[in-house]
Amino acid sequence: MQPLFIIDTNVLVAGLISGEPTSPTARILDAMLDGGLLYVLSPAVLTEYRAVLLRPRLRRAHGLAEAMYVKAHLTSKIGDIIRTGT
């Protein structure tokens, strides 16, 4: 079985605002979004992601559209995990 990860909000933020696409945090975010990394989410984690990503300074750094995309994508992953049990 592939290991599951809990991705700290700081890692998510650093991956979004990194100017270096090969940075460890950017690579983690890419792996989350392309399905290469199995991660655990909960409503509380999603709430924290959203609260942090929507802070004004961070919104200026990454753009509101990206924050909304990440939330929508991660939320869809919860549905996949619930349906498949993995």
Side-chain angles (χ1 to χ4, degrees):
M1 176 178 212
Q2 190 173 1
L4 296 174
F5 296 89
I6 299 170
I7 306 301
D8 185 77
T9 306
N10 292 323
V11 172
L12 184 70
V13 168
L16 279 173
I17 64 174
S18 174
E20 178 57 49
T22 60
S23 73
T25 55
R27 291 175 49 213
I28 289 169
L29 182 61
D30 287 343
M32 289 173 71
L33 295 175
D34 71 15
L37 180 82
L38 294 179
Y39 51 93
V40 179
L41 293 172
S42 70
V45 169
L46 282 175
T47 298
E48 181 179 346
Y49 283 0
R50 183 175 188 277
V52 171
L53 291 174
L54 294 179
R55 290 178 183 163
R57 282 181 47 196
L58 289 175
R59 282 177 38 187
R60 285 190 297 275
H62 63 68
L64 180 59
E66 291 173 84
M68 293 175 73
Y69 170 78
V70 168
K71 180 183 179 224
H73 181 78
L74 295 177
T75 302
S76 73
K77 288 292 186 184
I78 289 176
D80 292 344
I81 291 167
I82 290 170
R83 282 190 297 277
T84 64
T86 59

